[in-house]
Every structure is written in structure tokens, then in C-alpha cells.
Amino acid sequence: CGDPDYHARIRKLISHLVHLGYIPENPGLAIHIHNSFKPHIGLGSGTQFSMAILSGLAQLYSFPITDVHTAMQLTNRGSRSSIGSTGYFHGGFLIDAGKPHPDDHGHIDQRLDFPSGWRILLIRPQAQDIPSQGLAGAQEKAAFLRLDQVRHHGHQHLIDLLTTKIPSSISLVDFDSFSDYIYEFGYEVGQQFSVIQGDVYASSHASEIVTTLRRFGVRGVGQSSWGPTLYAFCRDADQAVETQMLLYEQYPEQLHIEITAARNIPASMDSGPFPISSRDSDLMPPNVCHRR
């Protein structure tokens, strides 16, 4: 994997684990990333990547990860939310109730199994005039500091949607209500984000795609985090494939679309062997761990 962000993340984690005595100094270790999401596209890939590397190292060097809190401390993740870390270890639909203290990790208030038949489209616009990444790092911290200084209306309505209406629709497997609630929640959060990104969505193209999806009858749509990835919930696999084809016809060579489903179980680990180049074979440990 050639992304420098991931390279830096791996080096920092290994250095931290060596310092704490979890793994030996100069371990003679080579890590190959065969496939991963790009960083900073709105999918929480950085946390999943860090947890996957930590899990592989824990299996290789036989040190325990006793709980999610320990994993977040070791990887320096979860400063804003515990959803990504908890999702890695438990799966399901998670609601983070926020942090009781600025130095704490987020508190997971609810966890629900997500309906297995529902499908999700992950849509990434590919136009040249659209940023390939959302806000991250120092820019994201500055954005949230600015948002904290702005008075937001409708705060209690968002809490009601998040803690009552959306979970209830999931428990009842009420797809239509869920779609309406998740769109409403995303739109109202986007209105608050518009102070930073200029509109409800990160680009005019994203806004057009959302409008197109709703015209197709797909109502549970929105933007994931700062984007550029959009999501669209579909009732079943057939609707997901049909919607994907309609979008490709409407926007030829302008979108990257994946169809996925929610995962209600923890991340799984496979042990090698995995293909490696001959020049690295003398550096590889006897077992290579890979997150699936």
C-alpha cells in the first residue's frame, strides 16, 4: 500500500509498542497492505486500519488486547468518537453519546444489530473539480473548534432522531421510516457543517447526486462525515444493484460505487501465507495477519 499516511501510521504504532515493551526493538518486521480504503474519504478508514495493524501485531507477538479502551489508547484513536474502534471489535449499529470530559473517549450509548437484508451504496464522486479527500488532522480540528463557536438550532431534535427514532426503526426493521429519519438527520447535520463546507454537502455535484437518488425513490441518502463519500440505503440487494446501474447511466465515468452490507460481528483475522515479493521473504515473520 503506497499511501504515506498509512506508512506513517504503521511506523508510529510500532514505535509506540516497542516503547511500551509489547514488541521487541528492531523486530525485523515487514507489513504488506494488500488492500485498503483510501484515507480521509469519510469512512473512518484510519481507525479500522490502525485496529487491524494492532490486531495483527497482537496475534504475532502474543500480547493481549483486553478491551476497546486499551486498543484506543495503544493506537491513539477515539479522541472524537468511539464508534470506529467499538465497531471493529463488536460490529453493529452504534450510537456514541459523546464524551463526559474532554480527555475521555466517547461513550457508546446503544448498540443494535442492523437488518441483514438491507444494503448500502458507498458513492464517491470522481470529477476533477471535487476534492478527493475530506477534512482531516489540523484542518478538521480547526473546523470543529469553529463549529463549537456557532449557535446551532434544532439540537434537541437531532438527539431525538439519533437516540429514539432511528434506533426504533432499526429494531422494528422499518426500512421506510429509517430512510426518512437518516436522511433528515444527515441533512440537518449538513446544515451545521455548511459553515465550513459552504453547503449541506461537500460539493454541488454531491448535492445533485443526492437529489437524483431521491428522485429514483432511494430516500435514505446523505454524506458520510466530511465526504466526499455519499451513502444510500437500499431495501435489498436487488434495489442496490438497480440503483447502482441507474447512477452509472446518469453519471458515466463520474462515480465509484460499492455495494455493501452492515457487519454485526467483530472483525475477523486470517493467518497467512499471503503472496509477498522474493526480496521481502527474509524479513517476513512466520505468520502474517490480515484483516478481512
Side-chain angles (χ1 to χ4, degrees):
C1 175
D3 193 284
D5 182 85
Y6 286 154
H7 292 177
R9 199 182 299 271
I10 290 172
R11 286 194 294 267
K12 185 175 181 180
L13 176 58
I14 289 177
S15 176
H16 185 53
L17 293 174
V18 168
H19 176 72
L20 294 175
Y22 283 93
I23 63 178
E25 292 189 42
N26 303 315
L29 177 70
I31 297 177
H32 292 251
I33 309 302
H34 297 285
N35 191 22
S36 67
F37 278 115
K38 294 180 180 180
H40 315 312
I41 60 172
L43 297 176
S45 56
T47 296
Q48 300 304 301
F49 181 86
S50 294
M51 293 299 165
I53 296 297
L54 177 66
S55 298
L57 292 172
Q59 182 169 314
L60 181 62
Y61 291 103
S62 301
F63 62 85
I65 303 174
T66 56
D67 53 42
V68 177
H69 183 73
T70 299
M72 288 191 287
Q73 288 183 319
L74 291 175
T75 56
N76 194 32
R77 306 301 296 180
S79 61
R80 185 165 295 109
S81 170
S82 297
I83 285 179
S85 303
T86 306
Y88 182 88
F89 287 100
H90 297 286
F93 184 89
L94 304 169
I95 297 174
D96 192 323
K99 303 193 297 183
H101 185 274
D103 295 332
D104 292 338
H105 291 116
H107 169 67
I108 299 300
D109 183 61
Q110 296 186 53
R111 184 208 170 274
L112 300 165
D113 275 352
F114 199 77
S116 59
W118 296 359
R119 293 294 181 266
I120 309 158
L121 297 184
L122 300 177
I123 305 158
R124 295 206 305 275
Q126 303 290 297
Q128 292 183 351
D129 59 340
I130 296 176
S132 60
Q133 295 183 336
L135 295 182
Q139 285 185 321
E140 185 179 31
K141 289 180 180 179
F144 277 113
L145 285 174
R146 185 178 173 191
L147 286 172
D148 287 341
Q149 298 169 1
V150 178
R151 182 177 179 84
H152 299 299
H153 299 286
H155 183 68
Q156 187 57 48
H157 179 56
L158 286 173
I159 292 176
D160 183 48
L161 282 170
L162 185 61
T163 62
T164 303
K165 292 184 176 179
I166 291 174
S168 176
S169 65
I170 292 172
S171 297
L172 296 172
V173 196
D174 183 350
F175 180 79
D176 291 332
S177 293
F178 171 81
S179 296
D180 291 338
Y181 294 148
I182 206 74
Y183 170 77
E184 186 177 357
F185 182 86
Y187 188 87
E188 293 193 18
V189 170
Q191 287 182 313
Q192 298 183 12
F193 277 28
S194 66
V195 175
I196 306 298
Q197 61 188 16
D199 203 344
V200 172
Y201 305 105
S203 67
S204 58
H205 188 40
S207 180
E208 180 188 341
I209 294 168
V210 169
T211 300
T212 299
L213 282 163
R214 288 177 63 80
R215 191 174 70 246
F216 289 161
V218 180
R219 306 203 305 262
V221 298
Q223 176 177 295
S224 183
S225 186
W226 296 105
T229 302
L230 304 172
Y231 57 81
F233 288 91
C234 295
R235 189 181 302 274
D236 52 33
D238 289 342
Q239 186 188 27
V241 172
E242 179 185 5
T243 304
Q244 182 187 44
M245 294 176 61
L246 288 170
L247 284 173
Y248 278 142
E249 291 174 3
Q250 185 80 17
Y251 303 100
E253 300 182 7
Q254 297 181 47
L255 303 176
H256 176 82
I257 305 173
E258 295 185 51
I259 299 175
T260 187
R263 184 180 178 95
N264 291 315
I265 59 175
S268 60
M269 298 286 295
D270 293 330
S271 294
F274 294 97
I276 58 174
S277 62
S278 58
R279 65 182 177 85
D280 291 324
S281 58
D282 59 330
L283 298 177
M284 296 298 290
N287 292 298
V288 182
C289 298
H290 171 72
R291 180 185 184 275
R292 181 176 59 195

